[in-house]
Amino acid sequence: MNKVEICGVNTSKLPTLTNEEKTKLFEEIKKGNLNAREEFVKGNLRLVLSVIQRFSNRGENVDDLFQVGCIGLIKSIDNFDTSLNVKFSTYAVPMIIGEIRRYLRDNNSIRVSRSLRDIAYKALQAKEKLTAENEKEPTVSDIAKLIGIAKEDVVFALDAIQDPVSLYEPVYNDGGDAIYVMDQIGDDKNNDESWIEEISLKEAMKRLNSREKRIVSLRFFKGKTQMEVADEIGISQAQVSRLEKSAMEHMKKYM
């Protein structure tokens, strides 16, 4: 991210445009002047650089991100309405970010079906449209109604295209040890309760005699049937059933 030359462009010598220059160039762009369009693109490449810095921790190739960001910049220029009292950068930044996010989603190692991506993109476009019209964040129901898709499908599709997060991504740091995503995830298999139950089970099994221990081990840890246990130990299936029941009752007293 500290490269000076990106895609053959010397980023240390990028030009900047004043507001007056931008206004004049846009007037020429609307007339179809391609030279003015090219000059406006070059004058706003620093905007692309500032946006791709946000994606510096993704491990993506900087040249690729820069090129995709430039596509977002060009789309912003082609769609910008000068009659609205909005700065070009205010309009362009979300467009550039959106273009980069689309690229990252489409090239994600986690594959999402084309149909889900299509629903998600329709939902995002509908969200932008409703936000612009109503000047407030639309609900999922509003989005679903506009695109004619069940709201459950909209939620599922939007969740599917979310960027994956590393378990080692820091979520909080107060100057001491950082708290990572993995620290915030519950583990049903290794919680304190299951750990205590395991100790309790081991202690209860110590109370059994050697034959009862063997039957319990074969039945519940190795998954054998009573007939298989009977054949292995050399007793009848009825005896295995009786000893098993006795062992269970004995263990319950200590659990």
Side-chain angles (χ1 to χ4, degrees):
M1 282 296 167
N2 295 318
K3 288 175 65 176
V4 173
E5 189 172 292
I6 300 178
C7 298
V9 177
N10 188 335
T11 58
S12 66
K13 296 181 180 180
L14 287 175
T16 55
L17 299 172
T18 64
N19 289 333
E20 187 179 345
E21 288 173 327
K22 287 179 182 178
T23 302
K24 288 181 179 179
L25 285 172
F26 247 114
E27 289 174 358
E28 292 299 314
I29 291 170
K30 295 299 181 184
K31 295 175 184 177
N33 189 328
L34 295 179
N35 290 329
R37 187 169 182 266
E38 186 176 345
E39 187 180 343
F40 195 92
V41 169
K42 289 180 179 177
N44 283 277
L45 288 179
R46 289 185 183 275
L47 198 60
V48 177
L49 281 178
S50 67
V51 171
I52 66 173
Q53 292 291 335
R54 304 184 186 192
F55 301 89
S56 60
N57 63 341
R58 299 296 300 267
E60 294 288 334
N61 185 286
V62 182
D63 296 73
D64 291 343
L65 291 181
F66 185 73
Q67 290 181 66
V68 175
C70 288
I71 293 171
L73 173 63
I74 292 167
K75 285 184 178 179
S76 303
I77 295 169
D78 292 343
N79 293 287
F80 184 60
D81 187 350
T82 53
S83 65
L84 299 175
N85 191 24
V86 177
K87 287 177 64 177
F88 174 74
S89 59
T90 305
Y91 177 78
V93 167
M95 289 280 283
I96 297 169
I97 291 173
E99 199 67 33
I100 292 173
R101 282 181 173 162
R102 270 190 288 274
Y103 164 77
L104 293 174
R105 287 172 194 142
D106 290 342
N107 292 274
N108 202 322
S109 56
I110 300 173
R111 296 297 175 192
V112 177
S113 71
R114 171 61 63 182
S115 59
L116 269 180
R117 283 207 302 267
D118 288 344
I119 292 172
Y121 295 154
K122 286 179 182 176
L124 291 173
Q125 289 171 352
K127 181 181 177 183
E128 289 178 12
K129 182 181 179 181
L130 290 170
T131 302
E133 289 177 356
N134 304 320
E135 296 184 352
K136 67 176 183 178
E137 191 87 0
T139 65
V140 175
S141 297
D142 294 334
I143 295 170
K145 185 177 180 180
L146 182 62
I147 62 178
I149 295 171
K151 63 180 182 180
E152 292 80 9
D153 292 338
V154 171
V155 172
F156 187 67
L158 290 174
D159 282 344
I161 63 168
Q162 290 299 312
D163 297 331
V165 178
S166 168
L167 289 174
Y168 296 95
E169 182 90 14
V171 293
Y172 178 74
N173 193 331
D174 62 352
D177 293 335
I179 296 176
Y180 299 97
V181 172
M182 65 183 303
D183 297 325
Q184 306 296 304
I185 297 174
D187 184 354
D188 295 335
K189 293 184 179 179
N190 295 300
N191 56 30
D192 290 342
E193 187 176 341
S194 63
W195 180 62
I196 292 168
E197 284 180 359
E198 189 175 341
I199 293 174
S200 178
L201 178 61
K202 287 179 179 178
E203 289 299 315
M205 283 193 69
K206 287 179 182 179
R207 309 281 179 168
L208 304 178
N209 60 43
S210 58
R211 177 177 278 186
E212 288 174 333
K213 279 182 186 176
R214 191 175 179 193
I215 290 172
V216 170
S217 177
L218 290 171
R219 285 281 290 125
F220 302 106
F221 291 94
K222 295 189 178 179
K224 295 195 174 187
T225 65
Q226 288 185 348
M227 286 297 295
E228 289 172 331
V229 174
D231 290 341
E232 186 167 330
I233 295 179
I235 59 177
S236 68
Q237 185 265 331
Q239 285 178 296
V240 171
S241 178
R242 180 174 54 79
L243 288 169
E244 179 187 311
K245 186 176 180 182
S246 173
M248 292 294 100
E249 292 296 328
H250 198 59
M251 288 176 68
K252 283 179 183 177
K253 295 176 183 178
Y254 300 98
M255 287 291 285

